[in-house]
Amino acid sequence: MRGIPAQHSVMEPILQTKLSFAPWADPRTARLPGVIPFELSDWLEVDTAYGEQMALRDHLIATVPQEVVGLDESARPAALELFDMLLGLLPRLGFEVSEAEVVRPDGAAVALDREAPMHTMGRLLQCDICLMQPDPSGATDESVLTGAALCFPSGWRLPQKFMKPMLRIHKPIEVYTPDLATRVQRMMNGVQVGRGLMRGTASRSDAHLCDPRSEGELRHGTNTSKYIRVERQSLVRLPETRAVVFTIHTQVVLPEALSPEQAAALDERPIRLAD
């Protein structure tokens, strides 16, 4: 893929040793629409692959920032609001926060750069981060992707989706119709401050963690794919700017890493192939 270094496609896969969330195993997330509320204390996570995932994030942000980070100037106040919010949440996850830097759970020190908030947050959090806001141009009533730190896309590229509304972002997914876009926008409008909404996706995949592909490229999973990729997708409303933060925490495991309960549930509810 243009701009993305080849190393990510030839290195050993980055795998979790266990799956902290299996959407097919929880009746609330296994059935559509599968959206459930959560408290902000349960929003962020440091899992068993944190160090390896963060090393890849550091590499991508340093070498191809134009592919994995974006921030429209209209979204800078929201990015800084999220930046400050996260600094208050990180200590409970094992981060050491000082005025000038944050020491991550893997021991790496990250300088706090308020001039580059998305770059900095992308080097702290394991999850990808997207800022969704009203269209600053007023051209659409849909939320627009105004900022992101997106290192682990599954079949899409940030430059193709940046500053686009939801319906355009989901092109060429056939099931994402204008009617579905209206319902998704209604859900986003309903996100309340202090309480998030989350859902999960799961697929069988042969792709590595960082899988950027242009629109229309073929799927990367088959019935014999050996990896299971799970995304915990969360929506959180910022109180001051009212922007919605969309985070994607990605875990990739081999089937043998599933708990007995997760494996049994998977037999009952087979997951889809990766698109």
Side-chain angles (χ1 to χ4, degrees):
M1 183 57 58
R2 180 176 61 86
I4 295 290
Q7 291 96 317
H8 82 274
S9 63
V10 298
M11 64 169 53
E12 288 297 313
I14 297 174
L15 305 176
Q16 276 75 10
T17 58
K18 62 180 180 180
L19 194 59
S20 63
F21 169 61
W24 66 84
D26 185 330
R28 301 173 303 165
T29 54
R31 60 175 181 266
L32 294 176
V35 178
I36 60 175
F38 67 89
E39 300 299 324
L40 293 190
S41 58
D42 297 323
W43 179 20
L44 304 174
E45 180 181 4
V46 172
D47 69 27
T48 60
Y50 179 86
E52 290 180 280
Q53 284 198 354
M54 296 312 297
L56 178 55
R57 296 182 75 86
D58 288 344
H59 174 71
L60 293 171
I61 291 172
T63 58
V64 285
Q66 72 281 359
E67 283 287 328
V68 298
V69 181
L71 180 65
D72 188 72
E73 276 305 307
S74 67
R76 184 168 291 275
L80 291 174
E81 182 182 7
L82 177 59
F83 186 98
D84 292 335
M85 179 190 221
L86 291 177
L87 293 182
L89 296 175
L90 293 179
R92 73 185 68 174
L93 295 171
F95 293 76
E96 298 177 15
V97 180
S98 65
E99 185 174 339
E101 68 178 18
V102 171
V103 179
R104 302 187 314 211
D106 64 347
V110 177
L112 295 177
D113 184 357
R114 294 181 65 84
E115 295 300 313
M118 299 310 300
H119 293 73
T120 304
M121 291 186 288
R123 296 193 57 215
L124 294 173
L125 296 184
Q126 201 171 352
C127 59
D128 284 322
I129 313 162
C130 297
L131 294 176
M132 306 301 300
Q133 295 179 274
D135 186 351
S137 72
T140 176
D141 293 331
E142 291 185 275
S143 293
V144 169
L145 176 59
T146 58
L150 184 85
C151 293
F152 304 150
S154 179
W156 60 292
R157 293 179 57 231
L158 177 60
Q160 287 189 323
K161 312 296 185 179
F162 187 62
M163 295 303 293
K164 300 295 192 297
M166 292 289 288
L167 186 60
R168 176 61 184 82
I169 286 172
H170 286 84
K171 181 182 178 180
I173 301 175
E174 293 182 0
V175 298
Y176 202 89
T177 61
D179 178 65
L180 179 57
T182 298
R183 284 184 281 153
V184 170
Q185 186 62 54
R186 189 179 303 123
M187 178 185 68
M188 292 186 67
N189 292 343
V191 178
Q192 301 299 309
V193 172
R195 198 177 196 205
L197 296 176
M198 63 85 66
R199 67 185 290 265
T201 67
S203 61
R204 293 194 176 276
S205 175
D206 292 319
H208 284 253
L209 184 63
C210 178
D211 178 35
R213 284 176 286 129
S214 293
E215 293 170 356
E217 289 191 44
L218 299 178
R219 66 177 59 201
H220 57 213
T222 70
N223 285 322
T224 59
S225 295
K226 62 180 180 178
Y227 301 120
I228 296 173
R229 182 185 180 112
V230 171
E231 294 184 358
R232 182 178 184 264
Q233 303 174 352
S234 303
L235 297 171
V236 170
R237 173 84 64 189
L238 297 178
E240 299 297 327
T241 59
R242 305 291 297 174
V244 171
V245 184
F246 175 52
T247 59
I248 310 158
H249 184 102
T250 302
Q251 297 184 319
V252 183
V253 297
L254 290 168
E256 49 263 38
L258 300 179
S259 70
E261 294 77 16
Q262 291 168 346
L266 186 59
D267 287 338
E268 295 179 9
R269 305 184 187 95
I271 58 177
R272 66 179 178 84
L273 303 182
D275 295 324

